[in-house]
Amino acid sequence: MQNFTFHNPTRIIFGEGQIAALDSELPHDARVLITSGGSSIKRNGVLEQVQTALGERASFVFSGIEPNPTYETLMQAVELAREKNIDFLLAVGGGSVIDGTKFIAAALKFDGEPWDILAKQAEVNDAMPFGSVLTLPATGSEMNNGSVISYRAKGDKLPFRSDATYPRFSILDPTTTYSLPPRQIANGVVDAFVHIVEQYLTYPVDAKVQDRLAEGLLITLTEVGPQALAEPHNYGVRANLMWTATLALNGLIGAGVPQDWATHMLGHEITALHGLDHAQTLAVVLPAMLTVRREQKRAKLLQYAERVWNLMEGSEDERITAAITATREFFERMTVPTHLRDYEIGGDSIETLIAKLKEHGMTALGEHGDVTPEVSRQVYQLAV
Ligand code: NZQ
Ligand code: ZN
């Protein structure tokens, strides 16, 4: 096992009816900016529950944070927060709203041009305190310090992270997910699945607990993912899905093990160029990525085949191929197509995608740093 430091300061408040706990989580004199996406939290009553829980506190709403949140929109929220003398941010929504709120929190305390936090990876030493009410199990943003922000005008989508951008708390009420359209549930399952794979499917370092936790989470997703589509109001299914997605990317399974993340970086460029949902890009890239890098990942692919997919028959190569096929079929079963052509994208944009990867310094990706632009090109070609 590799050396590691693990610290996660986010308090999780889990279960039906827990939005009421906001009252005890926020200072009584807080001036709160509720940040949100489109209209989903109005339609499903979550905003009303939040406002009731906030009681007499001064609160304002900034809505309009879009999926794949943009710098352009978020800077408007920064302006509003300054104008209203806000001292606490409350993200109510999915990963985009929480990621966007992390950027707003950091930008409010940042000296200089906030886009440098993404473009130049400028250090973020301070951020306004914020909490979240999660409505979409997928990204893990509710219990991590990462954020991915797009700059529409530049066609960029870039990540940042900082110790200052962990949510103070996150409220996870599975009933808030009942109103999710099937496409977002499917996206969430695929995103969480790929988060686990990025931290698990690398090379063995004798990290038995991390491996078995990762395998348990993957198997849980194969079970509850299809159920979540079939039974939208099944509390148990939604509760298990929600907690799995959080544990998939809260630092626990990634501590002391090598990590990959090449699939995510290639996926971000597809979203920036073609506008695909984040999870759609992962469903397209991952099977191709595993195929191209099957030799480097051989030992873990065999373990994955056996422990997650129960594949014990045939030669090593047959088991690896079967595991990659099982992964693709799982995404398809979740109704997320796994080829670029399914989204009407051909091979003509590959050179643009490669140029963007180079521009963003994504030229030595993966757990060995050996995913060069040439390897990425092969992955994109295979993904068509
Ligand atoms: O905008 P509203 O009206 O709220 O609708 C949203 C949005 O259209 C809707 N939605 C959310 N909760 C709902 C609901 N609709 C009905 N009922 C509910 N309860 O769902 C749509 C998608 O929301 P979004 O927040 O974009 O989805 P997701 O949570 O999948 O977040 C994706 C973003 O997170 C980033 C992605 O790159 C992408 O920008 N990621 C963040 C990570 C992190 N911080 O650690 C890691 C991930 O790898 C990922 O990159
Ligand atoms: Zn993701």
Side-chain angles (χ1 to χ4, degrees):
M1 198 185 304
Q2 299 176 345
N3 292 359
F4 66 88
T5 302
F6 177 66
H7 174 72
N8 190 315
T10 302
R11 180 200 299 264
I12 296 294
I13 303 155
F14 191 98
E16 182 164 15
Q18 294 281 31
I19 292 175
L22 277 173
D23 189 32
S24 49
E25 290 302 316
L26 283 158
H28 281 288
D29 57 355
R31 292 180 61 82
V32 184
L33 183 62
I34 298 170
T35 49
S36 70
S39 56
S40 77
I41 63 164
K42 291 195 192 95
R43 279 180 280 123
N44 62 14
V46 170
L47 179 60
E48 200 185 327
Q49 287 185 62
V50 166
Q51 287 174 322
T52 304
L54 290 179
E56 298 296 299
R57 290 175 182 86
S59 73
F60 306 86
V61 180
F62 179 85
S63 58
I65 299 178
E66 57 280 82
N68 309 306
T70 66
Y71 168 79
E72 287 93 333
T73 301
L74 300 170
M75 288 308 289
Q76 294 172 24
V78 169
E79 222 169 278
L80 181 66
R82 289 212 169 107
E83 187 190 309
K84 301 291 184 193
N85 270 322
I86 296 301
D87 54 27
F88 205 103
L89 302 169
L90 182 61
V92 184
S96 293
V97 171
I98 303 175
D99 278 14
T101 304
K102 290 174 180 174
F103 178 77
I104 298 165
L108 280 166
K109 303 273 180 170
F110 189 76
D111 207 9
E113 164 51 63
W115 182 247
D116 289 349
I117 296 171
L118 288 304
K120 299 185 181 161
Q121 294 289 300
E123 207 169 324
V124 172
N125 298 311
D126 195 11
M128 186 167 282
F130 68 97
S132 88
V133 176
L134 179 69
T135 64
L136 198 176
T139 62
S141 188
E142 65 279 8
M143 199 179 177
N144 69 38
N145 63 351
S147 165
V148 191
I149 305 299
S150 299
Y151 199 139
R152 206 184 299 125
K154 294 179 194 280
D156 287 343
K157 178 171 181 179
L158 295 168
F160 83 97
R161 59 180 61 240
S162 155
D163 281 348
T165 53
Y166 281 97
R168 293 287 166 107
F169 63 82
S170 285
I171 297 184
L172 277 57
D173 177 343
T175 66
T176 64
T177 74
Y178 290 170
S179 56
L180 279 165
R183 169 169 158 186
Q184 298 304 339
I185 280 289
N187 280 348
V189 170
V190 170
D191 192 21
F193 193 95
V194 180
H195 292 159
I196 303 162
V197 167
E198 299 269 30
Q199 300 163 89
Y200 162 75
L201 233 170
T202 57
Y203 55 89
V205 292
D206 192 27
K208 295 187 198 307
V209 172
Q210 292 90 326
D211 277 6
R212 290 204 158 95
L213 282 172
E215 288 151 1
L217 295 172
L218 289 169
I219 292 167
T220 305
L221 287 175
T222 64
E223 248 173 64
V224 300
Q227 285 174 327
L229 284 180
E231 305 165 43
H233 288 254
N234 184 325
Y235 181 82
V237 167
R238 292 296 165 107
N240 280 295
L241 173 57
M242 211 171 200
W243 189 222
T244 303
T246 301
L247 289 170
L249 195 48
N250 73 345
L252 184 62
I253 65 167
V257 298
Q259 302 194 15
D260 184 339
W261 298 105
T263 295
H264 267 70
M265 297 310 128
L266 268 64
H268 289 169
E269 301 301 352
I270 300 176
T271 296
L273 189 64
H274 295 290
L276 262 60
D277 293 349
H278 173 59
Q280 293 173 335
T281 70
L282 304 177
V284 163
V285 175
L286 183 70
M289 183 70 80
L290 295 179
T291 304
V292 169
R293 292 164 66 204
R294 57 188 285 155
E295 284 316 316
Q296 293 88 329
K297 291 178 178 289
R298 170 170 282 270
K300 275 316 225 357
L301 275 166
L302 285 166
Q303 182 178 326
Y304 171 68
E306 177 179 337
R307 296 202 197 163
V308 176
W309 296 110
N310 233 353
L311 295 162
M312 265 117 45
E313 311 271 300
S315 68
E316 287 191 1
D317 279 317
E318 283 165 353
R319 277 177 272 152
I320 289 172
T321 303
I324 297 172
T325 303
T327 308
R328 183 187 294 285
E329 285 173 356
F330 175 60
F331 295 162
E332 300 269 354
R333 188 164 164 227
M334 288 305 302
T335 69
V336 185
T338 59
H339 291 101
L340 281 173
R341 59 178 179 270
D342 301 323
Y343 304 90
E344 277 149 41
I345 298 170
D348 12 325
S349 65
I350 291 177
E351 287 317 309
T352 313
L353 294 168
I354 297 293
K356 275 292 184 184
L357 280 173
K358 287 185 186 164
E359 180 189 326
H360 297 144
M362 306 285 176
T363 53
L365 298 169
E367 63 272 21
H368 297 293
D370 59 357
V371 182
T372 59
E374 183 44 43
V375 176
S376 296
R377 186 179 285 112
Q378 286 171 36
V379 173
Y380 283 135
Q381 281 165 349
L382 200 59
V384 174

